[in-house]
């Protein structure tokens, strides 16, 4: 029996215990998928992944820990901070929860104060690296995620007490622009010195994510294209020059989708469930939607949807302009989203300008989103950047065709209508004119129900399983271990 690859996976959030964004999806799914990989795919080996997250106050009511496994203090300039570690298990995945006064009642997962978040996640990372000593389980690989735990690769190297100085580390980049700026003083108070790496721009040497980028053995972006884009000035957040120097160590692996939760065949939120052999039933979802929103029930009118955080990143402003520019076509649109007030107001204005055809629903509504994926004909995703993107994968699985900017994970998951095997419509530059052209192409395509149906079916049959992503991660771990000095 070959020894398993032991992976300590550290993150600030993990679904279903606690989820704020896409990182929660990944941390909730990937370690379980890694553990479930068949040994036959790994030359007889398997992955013993274990998850470490903070014991956020909001988790306490959801989970009964099995046992307390450790208690120790982490040094801080104003006096030691106590860490208490509990063990729990979900679907056979061992989860270690680090409790501390820093994750006390009322403390949200993230605040707008990076000193505060820097302190709690700097502490968490230090504590997570101390944990293996107490559980008699020494990891072969350390896997960190985003700026919150990005000091980890550096700390493992710096701190002989962890006994992890030669353990290879992976840093996943879910969203590069969040460098953790503002947390410098908190790191200093925890005794984490700035990086001495002269390849890093000077302004970045005290920030957690750049420190991690300089020290991780492998940097993995959440899609292959985003992995390339972060090497360029447009997406590199001032670190592109540095990342270029490390390009040999930078790759991208596409996130998976929870295909059980997102399944049109069994989704209880739908007006009618369907699959690729009964796709006609899909139309009932469109009927339910247009009825709910008092839109025109004519099935020949394309129904566009947007389901998104209202953030400049997502390019909703481009969608609003492009819709106005294509109003010769009789489209209808439902926009679901919340966030930035200016963008929300712009959506409201679009509804006022087109009261017969636009509905702006400015809230977070998971149930409604499901019906929209099932009933919408096309989803708009004109993102300025998109590290991976889940919405387009869900949409394709539900037979809703994406019209998206060719960036990051959107480019990796959608094939444009000009290609054989196409599943959507892509445009290059973040300009409303280009989106308007893609929209026009989509409207023409939609007017031929046979070719539209074929495109829907191709999208529905794609495999976005976590198993695929997990295999790619396992291969990355193996190559790190094989290339160890
Ligand atoms: P990001 O993580 O950058 O917000 P993704 O496309 O990766 O973008 O994931 C967004 C997820 O959040 C999708 O599952 C989408 O359905 C969901 N979502 C976004 N806004 C809303 C909303 N207002 N109501 C319901 N679900 C939403």
């Amino acid at each position: 029996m070959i020894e398993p690859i032991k992976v300590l996976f550290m993150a600030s959030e993990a679904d279903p215990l606690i989820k704020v964004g896409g990182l929660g999806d990944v941390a909730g799914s990937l370690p379980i998928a890694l553990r479930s990989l068949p040994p036959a795919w790994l030359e007889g080996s398997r992955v013993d992944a274990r998850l470490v997250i903070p014991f956020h106050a909001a988790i306490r009511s959801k989970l009964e820990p099995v046992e307390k496994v450790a208690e120790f203090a982490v040094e801080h300039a104003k006096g030691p901070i106590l860490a208490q570690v509990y063990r729990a298990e979900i679907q056979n995945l061992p989860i270690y929860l680090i409790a501390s006064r820093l994750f006390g009642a009322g403390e949200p997962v993230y605040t707008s104060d990076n000193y505060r978040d820097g302190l709690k996640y700097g502490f968490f990372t230090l504590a997570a690296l101390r944990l293996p000593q107490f559980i008699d389980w020494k990891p072969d690989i350390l896997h960190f995620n985003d700026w919150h735990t990005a000091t980890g690769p550096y700390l493992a190297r710096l701190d002989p007490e962890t006994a992890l100085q030669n353990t290879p580390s992976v840093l996943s980049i879910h969203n590069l622009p969040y460098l953790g700026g503002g947390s410098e003083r908190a790191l200093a108070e925890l005794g984490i010195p700035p990086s001495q790496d002269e390849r890093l721009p000077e302004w970045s040497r005290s920030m957690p994510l750049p420190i991690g980028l300089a020290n991780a053995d492998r940097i993995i972006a959440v899609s292959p294209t985003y992995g390339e884009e972060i090497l360029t000035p447009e997406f590199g957040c001032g670190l592109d020059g540095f990342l270029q120097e490390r390009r040999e160590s930078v790759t991208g692996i596409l996130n998976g989708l929870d295909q059980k939760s997102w399944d049109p065949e069994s989704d209880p939120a739908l007006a009618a469930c369907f699959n690729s052999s009964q796709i006609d039933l899909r139309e009932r979802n469109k009927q339910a939607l247009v009825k709910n929103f008092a839109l025109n029930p004519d099935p020949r009118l394309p129904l566009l949807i947007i389901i998104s955080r209202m953030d400049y990143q997502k390019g909703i402003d481009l969608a609003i302009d492009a819709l106005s520019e294509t109003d010769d076509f009789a489209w209808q649109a439902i926009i679901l989203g919340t966030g930035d007030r200016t963008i929300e107001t712009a959506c409201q204005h679009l509804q006022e300008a087109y009261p017969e055809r636009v509905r702006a629903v400015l809230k977070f509504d998971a149930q409604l989103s499901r019906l929209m994926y099932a009933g919408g004909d096309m989803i708009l995703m004109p993102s300025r950047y998109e590290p991976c993107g889940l919405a387009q994968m869900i949409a394709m699985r539900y037979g809703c065709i994406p019209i998206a900017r060719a960036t990051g994970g959107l480019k990796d998951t959608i094939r444009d209508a000009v290609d054989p095997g196409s599943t959507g419509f892509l445009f290059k530059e973040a300009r409303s004119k280009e989106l308007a052209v893609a929209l026009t192409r989509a409207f023409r395509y939609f007017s031929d129900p046979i070719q539209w149906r074929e495109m829907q079916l191709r999208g529905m049959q794609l495999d976005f399983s976590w198993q695929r992503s997990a295999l790619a991660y396992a291969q990355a771990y193996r190559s790190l271990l094989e290339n160890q000095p």
Side-chain angles (χ1 to χ4, degrees), residues 283 286-304 330-334 354-359 375 377:
E283 186 61 25
K286 181 170 175 182
Q287 286 163 8
L289 263 181
V290 293
K291 188 162 176 243
N292 280 356
F293 287 102
L295 290 164
N296 186 335
D298 183 347
R300 288 167 305 176
L301 300 182
L303 178 61
L304 294 157
W331 49 257
Q332 306 195 84
I334 304 174
Y354 298 97
E356 304 292 317
R357 343 168 155 196
V358 176
R359 298 291 176 268
D377 295 304

Side-chain angles (χ1 to χ4, degrees), residues 22 262 307-309 313-314 336-338 363-366 369 373 381 386 389-391 394:
W262 295 103
I307 301 174
S308 176
R309 282 186 291 120
Q313 175 204 339
K314 300 291 183 182
L336 173 63
T338 164
K363 61 176 178 179
F364 190 95
D365 187 336
S369 77
Y373 286 119
M381 295 186 73
E386 193 61 76
L390 265 184
I394 302 170

Side-chain angles (χ1 to χ4, degrees), residues 310-372:
M310 295 281 162
D311 187 293
Y312 182 72
Q313 175 204 339
K314 300 291 183 182
I316 310 293
D317 51 319
L318 305 177
I320 291 173
D321 290 349
L323 287 170
S324 311
E325 288 161 27
T326 52
D327 63 3
D328 290 350
F329 290 88
W331 49 257
Q332 306 195 84
I334 304 174
I335 305 173
L336 173 63
T338 164
D340 184 298
R341 272 294 160 80
T342 322
I343 305 172
E344 288 188 356
T345 309
C347 293
Q348 255 160 348
H349 287 162
L350 188 73
Q351 175 175 321
E352 283 155 23
Y354 298 97
E356 304 292 317
R357 343 168 155 196
V358 176
R359 298 291 176 268
V361 189
L362 304 176
K363 61 176 178 179
F364 190 95
D365 187 336
Q367 296 294 101
L368 174 59
S369 77
R370 288 173 177 274
L371 184 62
M372 287 170 66

Side-chain angles (χ1 to χ4, degrees), residues 190-251:
L190 286 163
I192 306 174
S195 168
Q196 303 294 322
D197 194 321
E198 293 188 352
R199 298 170 305 171
L200 273 179
E202 214 168 329
W203 56 264
S204 71
R205 289 184 201 158
S206 306
M207 294 183 181
L209 192 66
I211 291 178
L213 295 173
N215 286 279
D217 294 295
R218 186 67 59 89
I219 297 163
I220 303 186
V222 288
S223 68
T225 294
Y226 194 56
E228 286 164 21
E229 287 173 340
I230 58 176
L231 306 177
T232 67
E234 185 183 351
F235 300 93
C237 304
L239 296 171
D240 39 290
F242 167 76
L243 287 167
Q244 277 284 354
E245 293 203 35
R246 293 221 57 199
R247 64 178 314 150
E248 301 279 289
S249 309
V250 182
T251 52

Side-chain angles (χ1 to χ4, degrees), residues 15 17 43 121 193 340 347 380:
D15 196 44
L17 295 175
E43 290 170 30
Y121 289 116
D340 184 298
C347 293
L380 292 186

